Amino acid sequence: MGQRLRQSSLRRELLHYVILLSVCLIAMVLLGVLLNRLAINAGLVVHANYDERRVLDAEPGIQNASTFSPELIPEDIPYAVVDKDTLRVVEGTLDPSREAAAVRAIQNRSSYQGQAVYRVVEREQEYVVLHYKVRSRFTLPWLRAHFPDYEVTTLIIGIISIISIVLAVTTIFARRLQRQFDRIQKLTVRIRNRDLSMEEERSPIKEFDDVLASLQEMAKALEESLQAQWRTETRKREQISALAHDIKIPVTIIKGNAELLSLDDQSEEHAGYTEYILNATSRIEEYVSLLIHISKTEQDMAIALKPTSLRDFAAELIQDVSGYVGQRRLEIVLDQEETVTLEPAFDRELLLRAIMNILTNAADHTPDGGEIRLAVSASNRIVSFRVTDSGPGFTREGLEQATQLFYMGDKSRSAKGHYGIGLTFAHNVARLHQGSLRLANRPQGGAEVTLEIPARQN
């Protein structure tokens, strides 16, 4: 027994995804806190109350100094010296746009505007207003210049990190699921291509494994069905071939004796009977040959490709179908393009019989006074033979099944010598030449049968 495959479920996979995503996000937060602590310890970043502590430490010195000096102010802290009597700024480094806020802070002794603080230190003749912000910041000038707001910077980095982690974890799980979908797709492609001999496919996810198992069961059932169909078709072909050969022997005997009778002196009536027997046996021999041909598989059949003049080939077709029509009032028309001067390679005898079957079928279904038209065209890629008639055309069922063996849309056709073989034979000949046979009805009435084969040049 093979090793048992450990399976999960989609619910469990989703739970794993949520857990892994949560762990990664928590780890990111902890890492951010750790890096912030390390930066503070290393002196790269200062606490949010760093400037406040410096101002509070410097405040007694500023307040008690006999003479104010800028050296009393902590480094990088803007300040303003305001006259007590006039409340006008007499000196300082505070931005002029903030002087009004500094004066208002004197009236309240201190002022808080969000993270901004105006700290008032009262002296005998003046007020000293120090301005600072309660927030963390970088200590290096370059970092402060490019990233003045440390908190916004860390927030942006945090958001980018969260998005990156979500994308990374989602991508990992998406690829895991995609591999399972790829297995299913690969299996369906093999089934579509009828490549049904396959090893057992398993998936570590239960739901996908169930789908794979169902597809493999379907492939196995389809393989058994195709094998049974192939055996049935083989037996049918063998029976047709055996029957055709069995019929051929007595037909040959009948024909030989009829030919001997025709050599004797006979009355006109008896000679007519003999002629009728000979014609009938020739027709039976033709059908027997078609049955033997159809009973062979494509692998058993070989075609002899030889360069053939399309112009001479078309002329022979018209001559043969004219002889078949005889005294009936049917107009036989040949449409040829200049390109039919080409000499593509095909099996002349097989193709002649195939197109004659199409032409005779058209003749049998075209009423007197009608028209049968053979259009021959050729290019460097395709040789086309299109036969049209002015008969009733194909039925809807006939368009779908007319090329099937023994199909007869009109049940009375067997009385006219038709047994549903001609179009089947033409279809097989087209396939042997790697071509196609198409059936259609013309908008103005009548049937249209087109046989196309590749224009091989050797």
Side-chain angles (χ1 to χ4, degrees):
M1 295 180 63
Q3 186 178 2
R4 185 176 179 180
L5 181 66
R6 295 185 59 185
Q7 285 191 326
S8 178
S9 65
L10 281 175
R11 179 180 295 180
R12 184 175 297 177
E13 290 294 318
L14 180 59
L15 182 60
H16 289 169
Y17 166 75
V18 173
I19 291 174
L20 180 59
L21 183 60
S22 300
V23 169
C24 290
L25 292 176
I26 293 173
M28 185 208 70
V29 172
L30 294 177
L31 180 61
V33 172
L34 177 62
L35 291 177
N36 183 68
R37 179 63 59 183
L38 291 175
I40 291 174
N41 294 337
L44 297 175
V45 177
V46 295
H47 283 292
N49 63 347
Y50 174 75
D51 287 337
E52 186 173 36
R53 291 202 311 267
R54 293 168 62 207
V55 168
L56 292 177
D57 291 341
E59 185 173 343
I62 298 173
Q63 190 174 24
N64 298 324
S66 58
T67 304
F68 175 79
S69 171
E71 284 78 12
L72 298 172
I73 305 298
E75 185 180 2
D76 299 329
I77 298 295
Y79 71 95
V81 178
V82 181
D83 185 84
K84 270 189 174 184
D85 297 329
T86 62
L87 293 181
R88 298 184 61 180
V89 176
V90 294
E91 65 174 297
T93 60
L94 187 66
D95 190 290
S97 62
R98 301 182 185 275
E99 290 180 355
V103 172
R104 287 195 301 270
I106 293 173
Q107 298 170 355
N108 300 323
R109 295 302 176 181
S110 289
S111 177
Y112 294 87
Q113 298 178 6
Q115 291 181 325
V117 179
Y118 293 88
R119 182 74 178 178
V120 178
V121 180
E122 185 177 358
R123 288 173 52 82
E124 184 178 353
Q125 299 295 329
E126 68 260 340
Y127 296 104
V128 178
V129 182
L130 295 92
H131 176 61
Y132 60 90
K133 291 183 179 181
V134 182
R135 66 179 182 183
S136 300
R137 59 182 175 83
F138 292 106
T139 57
L140 296 178
W142 186 89
L143 289 176
R144 284 204 308 273
H146 292 82
F147 306 100
D149 197 320
Y150 172 77
E151 294 176 355
V152 172
T153 302
T154 53
L155 178 62
I156 293 174
I157 293 175
I159 292 174
I160 293 175
S161 301
I162 290 173
I163 294 174
S164 300
I165 288 175
V166 171
L167 289 177
V169 174
T170 303
T171 301
I172 292 172
F173 276 84
R175 287 179 178 176
R176 177 173 169 80
L177 295 180
Q178 184 62 48
R179 285 195 294 269
Q180 310 312 314
F181 281 113
D182 289 342
R183 288 183 177 183
I184 294 175
Q185 184 180 15
K186 181 180 178 182
L187 192 57
T188 55
V189 169
R190 293 183 64 180
I191 293 175
R192 185 177 67 237
N193 295 334
R194 296 192 176 186
D195 181 11
L196 305 177
S197 298
M198 57 186 72
E199 297 180 356
E200 184 181 12
E201 282 277 351
R202 300 298 305 275
S203 170
I205 301 177
K206 182 181 181 303
E207 287 79 2
F208 286 99
D209 191 60
D210 292 341
V211 174
L212 287 172
S214 298
L215 288 174
Q216 289 171 100
E217 289 177 4
M218 183 179 69
K220 185 177 180 181
L222 181 59
E223 182 180 20
E224 293 174 353
S225 175
L226 290 175
Q227 289 177 349
Q229 181 182 357
W230 178 80
R231 288 192 295 268
T232 301
E233 291 293 330
T234 301
R235 285 196 299 269
K236 184 173 74 172
R237 290 180 182 274
E238 290 174 350
Q239 291 170 355
I240 292 173
S241 180
L243 178 62
H245 283 90
D246 290 343
I247 294 174
K248 195 172 184 180
I249 295 174
V251 168
T252 302
I253 294 173
I254 294 172
K255 185 176 182 180
N257 284 282
E259 288 175 346
L260 290 175
L261 288 175
S262 67
L263 297 177
D264 295 339
D265 292 332
Q266 296 177 323
S267 64
E268 184 177 349
E269 183 180 2
H270 287 172
Y273 292 153
T274 303
E275 176 98 14
Y276 180 80
I277 294 172
L278 288 173
N279 290 337
T281 54
S282 297
R283 196 68 178 270
I284 293 174
E285 283 184 331
E286 179 182 351
Y287 287 135
V288 168
S289 297
L290 290 179
L291 282 174
I292 293 174
H293 176 89
I294 292 172
S295 66
K296 295 179 180 180
T297 63
E298 295 184 6
Q299 290 79 8
D300 297 332
M301 299 177 63
I303 56 176
L305 301 178
K306 295 181 181 179
T308 304
S309 169
L310 278 180
R311 190 174 295 278
D312 295 343
F313 184 74
E316 184 176 354
L317 285 170
I318 294 299
Q319 181 180 357
D320 289 350
V321 74
S322 298
Y324 178 82
V325 169
Q327 301 301 316
R328 291 184 59 195
R329 292 184 297 106
L330 293 178
E331 184 178 1
I332 311 298
V333 181
L334 173 63
D335 290 335
Q336 293 185 109
E337 299 179 358
E338 296 180 358
T339 53
V340 297
T341 55
L342 296 174
E343 294 189 0
F346 52 80
D347 191 311
R348 179 186 179 91
E349 295 303 320
L350 280 180
L351 200 60
L352 182 67
R353 289 168 61 189
I355 300 175
M356 274 302 298
N357 281 328
I358 300 173
L359 287 168
T360 56
N361 188 69
D364 292 338
H365 289 81
T366 301
D368 289 350
E371 176 188 87
I372 299 172
R373 185 176 294 269
L374 171 64
V376 183
S377 62
S379 66
N380 291 330
R381 298 178 58 188
I382 296 294
V383 178
S384 175
F385 301 91
R386 187 174 72 256
V387 177
T388 57
D389 61 51
S390 54
F394 292 103
T395 63
R396 180 179 300 179
E397 182 184 10
L399 289 174
E400 298 177 355
Q401 304 181 33
T403 58
Q404 296 181 7
L405 186 61
F406 302 135
Y407 171 79
M408 293 180 291
D410 181 0
K411 303 303 180 183
S412 65
R413 286 174 59 190
S414 59
K416 303 176 184 178
H418 292 277
Y419 298 93
I421 299 176
L423 289 180
T424 305
F425 176 79
H427 177 66
N428 288 354
V429 170
R431 283 173 44 178
L432 284 172
H433 285 81
Q434 298 180 355
S436 63
L437 184 74
R438 297 197 306 275
L439 310 181
N441 287 322
R442 299 193 301 163
Q444 63 270 37
E448 177 180 291
V449 181
T450 305
L451 190 151
E452 292 181 341
I453 60 174
R456 298 182 178 90
Q457 299 298 319
N458 51 33

